[in-house]
Structure formats: structure tokens, C-alpha cells
Amino acid sequence: MELNFLKLDPADGTPYSDVVECGDMLYLSGLVSEDFVTGELVCGDITVQTRQVLKNLSGILERYGSDMEHVVRVEVLLTDYALSGEMNAEYVKHFDAAHLPSRMCYGGVELYEGCLIELMATAVKK
């Protein structure tokens, strides 16, 4: 099976692939609330950051032949698990209730540059 190790920005110097394509599967590295147009972090509360992270996820999936309905697994990292209720309220707006991916959510994690959330996902290509 062919593996493709993909970088969204090959010049960014990070020591990992943003997406690994393995057959019909896409494995995405952690996403934070970066605005891909400006390169700046979208600051704000957990709702604002969750919305941006899921917008990023959706855009990457579309770019590589998938969509939110084909996400099969999500891992969410939060700086504080007490934010999970607000995060969940925004999270469910981005998935069809009949196609919610399996998920694990961690709290108490120190994240990049003060981000409140980081999300990793696995999806099947359409």
C-alpha cells in the first residue's frame, strides 16, 4: 500500500507530516486555531478556537478528498477539561448527529502558544 506523507507548508520546518495518506485513509496531525490565510492564531474563548480548529479540519479534508461525514476518529486535547462542555456545544455543530466519529478527549494538557484546544483526526476518503 502506498503511503503519502504530506505537508501543508513544506517550508515550515516542523518535524512531522500534517497528513499521512494510506490508501483510502487520512491521518491528520494535531490542529490548533491557526488561521491558514494569515498564519496567525485565532485567539478567543474555547468556542472561538474550537470553531477555527474544525474549520481547519474541514478544509484539509476537502483538499485531500474527504469531508466531515467521513471522519471516523477524533482526539481532542484541552488545557482544562472543564472547557469540554463549551467545546462540545460547538463541536456537535460541525458533524451530522448520525455520523459522529469515535472520540477521546483529554484535559490538563499544555498546548502550543497558549491554545486551549488541539485536535487530531482520522478520516476515510470519499
Side-chain angles (χ1 to χ4, degrees):
M1 184 172 301
E2 184 177 342
L3 294 174
N4 292 311
F5 298 86
L6 309 165
K7 303 252 322 153
L8 299 176
D9 178 3
D12 73 4
T14 55
Y16 58 85
S17 297
D18 296 298
V19 180
V20 175
E21 184 179 41
C22 178
D24 288 339
M25 300 299 296
L26 297 172
Y27 300 90
L28 283 76
S29 291
L31 298 169
V32 294
S33 60
E34 178 183 358
D35 180 322
F36 287 159
V37 175
T38 67
E40 300 294 320
L41 288 175
V42 174
C43 297
D45 63 17
I46 189 64
T47 301
V48 169
Q49 289 191 31
T50 300
R51 186 177 305 125
Q52 183 64 44
V53 167
L54 292 168
K55 176 182 176 184
N56 292 348
L57 174 60
S58 179
I60 293 170
L61 292 172
E62 291 292 332
R63 180 175 177 176
Y64 293 105
S66 191
D67 59 25
M68 297 297 275
E69 286 194 16
H70 287 80
V71 175
V72 295
R73 173 102 173 131
V74 171
E75 291 188 42
V76 179
L77 291 82
L78 300 171
T79 56
D80 184 348
Y81 195 78
L83 298 170
S84 64
E86 293 172 75
M87 180 275 297
N88 282 330
E90 181 63 30
Y91 177 92
V92 297
K93 295 176 184 177
H94 299 265
F95 292 97
D96 180 328
H99 297 106
L100 292 172
S102 67
R103 191 179 91 179
M104 181 172 268
C105 185
Y106 307 85
V109 180
E110 186 174 338
L111 299 174
Y112 176 76
E113 297 281 327
C115 291
L116 301 174
I117 182 172
E118 185 169 348
L119 184 143
M120 298 177 287
T122 303
V124 178
K125 293 168 86 174
K126 295 193 267 186

